[in-house]
Amino acid sequence: MVTYRNIAEDPAYKDVLPEDFVHGYSSASYQIEGGATAGGRGPSIWDEHLQEANQDTGDDACDSYRLWEQDVSLLQQYRASGYRFSVSWPRIVPNGGRNDSINEEGIKYYNQLIDALLDAGIEPTITILHFDVPLELHKRYRSFLATDPRELIADYTSFAKLCFERFGDRVKKWLTFNEPWIFPSLLSMGIVKGFSKRDFFRVGHNILLCHSDIVRLYRSEFQQKQNGLISIALNSEWVEPINDDPRAVKDAKLAIERDFGWFADPIFLGTQTTAWDKYGDDFPRLTQEELALLRGSADFFSLNHYGTGWATGQEVQPNGDPRFNMDEIDKTFVKDGKPIGMRGEEGHPHTVPWGFRKILLYTWDKYCKDKNIPIVISECGFAVEFEQHMSLDKIIDDKARQEYLNQYIKILCDVVREDGVRVSGFYVWSLLDNLEWLSGYGPRFGVTHVDRKNGFKRTPKDSSKLLAAIWRHVVKKN
Ligand code: NOJ
């Protein structure tokens, strides 16, 4: 049942956000492009892993490699002012390394997309790496698992340099990496055999070192002449103690300091979280020199946020899955028999707007306020439960997604005007129904239905219309 009041019709929300507020959609190359072997693309770790796991693969995805013009038309139709997409490293450098050959066809693909976006008045943001690491680099030195990361840093920074050189005349917003917390979690779930706790920590640590080197390069060679901004997309859910039991309170705090603080503390504060101290030497420490380089290595705070859970303060019970699982904090989405919010597909996420408010205030107070660094919500969205089993009419009439987005954007407006939080953009995940890394095409986050059996036909869902109406109402016109 829909219980909300549409903010697009609420006079109290008219013109609440500034004229230059960017609103749009986010996507990732492997999840939408398909064209796995087209135009000279090399394989990424996902091509191999998903084939092996015999699940859905990204071989076709949403066929955006071919249908990108339709994607741009949809963005126009939805009145988006920004689009965040990622470039596929193996499409541009099929083997990935700094001495390997460059695939000009891959570069051309992104150049066309960037030009079409700009012609349509849509600002591009590029994520340099959204999980799809070239397979060859994984074979050469275990990519992000490398104990000595020097080769990785040199290859990744060289790829980033190529992106700045070829796209930076037109692209003014960059994200070095997407979700350094989720990436090792995905790798741990079967993609790398025998993955250990040390590997988990190593991957996160190496991402920080790569991020710092790429930002150093951008700032020293490109930023001034290209006049752009750079950051990294960090994700965090909100975790609330289920009651006032000190163990629940401690675990809720620890969950955020651990997942979020691992990356946000060095980048925004130049410090290292103590949340991992109990792991001793297994957790690699940043040196003072590394911390000094990381401090301030982001021009805006790019936050991906979806949902909220309760920390119970109880021991995590083994779930019978033999695979490595880093999550040692027990969480639940049900309290006294009631769900924390409306449930999304596979429970990811639940609609908990008050949790969004808490993470926004936490991020602002802890990392941004002092330096007046703006927050950009680089991902936020909802997968309607059981949508994959619905008729097209029901899919289009996506009330649960509309309710989620309406409530979350309302919170965004509230923190801007009531709490003075500076938020400069909001990107809905996602433009299209696409592949979810380990769950295939089941959960659907798109505001556009993609009929994979029927030429990848794109059909707008009603949430796309609601969003256009909301932004028209809440963003001031110039
Ligand atoms: C975050 C990731 O960046 C994206 O790849 C994923 O599809 C969404 N969350 C939804 O789970």
Side-chain angles (χ1 to χ4, degrees):
M1 197 185 56
V2 179
T3 50
Y4 66 92
R5 176 169 185 191
N6 179 351
I7 58 168
E9 286 161 13
D10 186 342
Y13 286 86
K14 177 129 184 67
D15 295 344
V16 171
L17 300 176
E19 290 162 10
D20 56 358
F21 189 89
V22 183
H23 52 90
Y25 295 87
S26 265
S27 69
S29 48
Y30 188 74
Q31 293 178 271
I32 62 164
E33 282 178 10
T37 51
R41 177 185 178 276
S44 77
I45 52 175
W46 293 95
D47 295 85
E48 183 177 80
H49 173 66
L50 294 183
Q51 299 289 356
E52 271 178 10
N54 197 24
Q55 278 186 358
D56 296 338
T57 69
D59 285 1
D60 307 317
C62 302
D63 206 9
S64 287
Y65 184 63
R66 231 168 27 92
L67 303 179
W68 60 272
E69 284 165 295
Q70 292 188 18
D71 297 349
V72 178
S73 301
L74 285 171
L75 289 162
Q76 259 184 308
Q77 186 183 326
Y78 300 167
R79 309 224 177 268
S81 62
Y83 183 47
R84 169 186 172 229
F85 62 95
S86 79
V87 285
S88 156
W89 185 350
R91 190 175 293 294
I92 295 179
V93 185
N95 285 331
R98 59 198 181 282
N99 299 316
D100 294 320
S101 57
I102 296 170
N103 177 29
E104 290 296 334
E105 254 187 277
I107 297 208
K108 185 172 157 217
Y109 171 68
Y110 295 110
N111 269 330
Q112 285 175 333
L113 175 64
I114 293 164
D115 289 343
L117 288 168
L118 292 171
D119 284 349
I122 298 163
E123 180 193 66
T125 294
I126 287 188
T127 313
I128 298 170
L129 182 56
H130 193 126
F131 306 159
D132 48 351
V133 177
L135 181 61
E136 178 60 25
L137 298 188
H138 199 69
K139 290 188 176 153
R140 282 184 198 162
Y141 49 77
R142 303 186 81 214
S143 64
F144 281 87
L145 282 86
T147 326
D148 176 351
R150 280 175 295 186
E151 283 291 302
L152 169 74
I153 297 174
D155 286 344
Y156 187 7
T157 301
S158 151
F159 171 59
K161 182 166 192 248
L162 184 62
C163 294
F164 301 143
E165 282 166 353
R166 300 300 191 89
F167 310 131
D169 55 333
R170 288 150 296 149
V171 174
K172 304 297 165 196
K173 287 188 185 152
W174 298 93
L175 296 165
T176 55
F177 195 86
N178 179 69
E179 300 191 346
W181 166 257
I182 292 296
F183 184 56
S185 312
L186 288 175
L187 292 182
S188 72
M189 288 192 254
I191 189 161
V192 174
K193 313 274 175 303
F195 196 90
S196 66
K197 200 156 275 178
R198 282 184 101 103
D199 291 330
F200 188 90
F201 291 139
R202 176 59 59 192
V203 172
H205 184 74
N206 285 345
I207 294 170
L208 280 169
L209 299 181
C210 291
H211 163 79
S212 145
D213 197 54
I214 294 172
V215 174
R216 174 203 54 75
L217 170 85
Y218 185 65
R219 289 196 172 152
S220 60
E221 289 185 30
F222 297 94
Q223 190 159 40
Q224 237 182 343
K225 60 175 188 259
Q226 294 187 345
N227 196 21
L229 301 173
I230 192 157
S231 185
I232 177 170
L234 304 183
N235 69 289
S236 192
E237 55 183 358
W238 181 253
V239 186
E240 186 74 6
I242 196 157
N243 51 34
D244 52 15
D245 182 326
R247 286 171 308 175
V249 174
K250 182 169 154 267
D251 273 6
K253 187 166 171 279
L254 186 65
I256 309 254
E257 289 177 355
R258 203 190 61 162
D259 307 8
F260 200 35
W262 181 6
F263 305 101
D265 287 7
I267 292 171
F268 291 91
L269 308 176
T271 58
Q272 178 145 348
T273 179
T274 53
W276 298 106
D277 279 0
K278 76 171 199 184
Y279 292 102
D281 289 346
D282 279 351
F283 180 70
R285 312 283 145 162
L286 293 158
T287 63
Q288 285 311 315
E289 205 186 348
E290 286 163 351
L291 278 172
L293 282 170
L294 278 161
R295 187 193 185 103
S297 61
D299 299 319
F300 55 97
F301 200 114
S302 169
L303 173 64
N304 294 359
H305 174 79
Y306 287 85
T308 294
W310 306 109
T312 68
Q314 306 295 312
E315 290 285 308
V316 176
Q317 296 305 317
N319 62 3
D321 187 337
R323 292 177 303 184
F324 169 86
N325 182 1
M326 191 61 233
D327 210 353
E328 289 178 331
I329 295 173
D330 191 55
K331 283 178 232 152
T332 180
F333 299 99
V334 181
K335 182 176 166 180
D336 302 330
K338 283 204 212 103
I340 192 165
M342 184 177 39
R343 205 183 124 93
E345 183 75 35
E346 296 174 6
H348 169 44
H350 289 71
T351 302
V352 190
W354 56 263
F356 184 39
R357 181 184 172 88
K358 290 202 173 190
I359 191 72
L360 275 168
L361 293 177
Y362 180 92
T363 306
W364 176 247
D365 287 338
K366 184 161 182 182
Y367 299 114
C368 302
K369 193 173 172 178
D370 281 1
K371 292 160 234 120
N372 198 23
I373 292 175
I375 300 173
V376 172
I377 303 302
S378 33
E379 281 183 34
C380 185
F382 189 75
V384 178
E385 198 170 27
F386 311 126
E387 194 179 277
Q388 57 188 303
H389 307 295
M390 294 177 184
S391 65
L392 184 60
D393 284 359
K394 282 257 159 37
I395 290 174
I396 291 172
D397 180 23
D398 58 347
K399 293 222 168 46
R401 180 174 294 104
Q402 293 172 51
E403 171 157 358
Y404 176 100
L405 290 167
N406 183 68
Q407 305 258 41
Y408 277 58
I409 297 170
K410 180 171 185 288
I411 291 290
L412 168 86
C413 294
D414 290 345
V415 300
V416 168
R417 58 180 188 171
E418 287 161 18
D419 304 289
V421 175
R422 209 175 142 209
V423 190
S424 59
F426 187 100
Y427 295 77
V428 172
W429 185 272
S430 190
L431 179 66
L432 307 170
D433 278 341
N434 58 33
L435 176 129
E436 272 295 306
W437 302 97
L438 295 170
S439 346
Y441 296 93
R444 297 176 178 184
F445 279 87
V447 300
T448 314
H449 173 63
V450 176
D451 186 348
R452 305 186 68 244
K453 296 200 184 86
N454 183 14
F456 303 90
K457 185 170 185 305
R458 282 126 161 87
T459 309
K461 300 180 196 172
D462 287 347
S463 52
S464 63
K465 290 186 201 134
L466 175 76
L467 285 163
I470 289 178
W471 298 124
R472 203 178 304 126
H473 185 69
V474 303
V475 178
K476 253 191 222 142
K477 323 271 165 309
N478 47 20

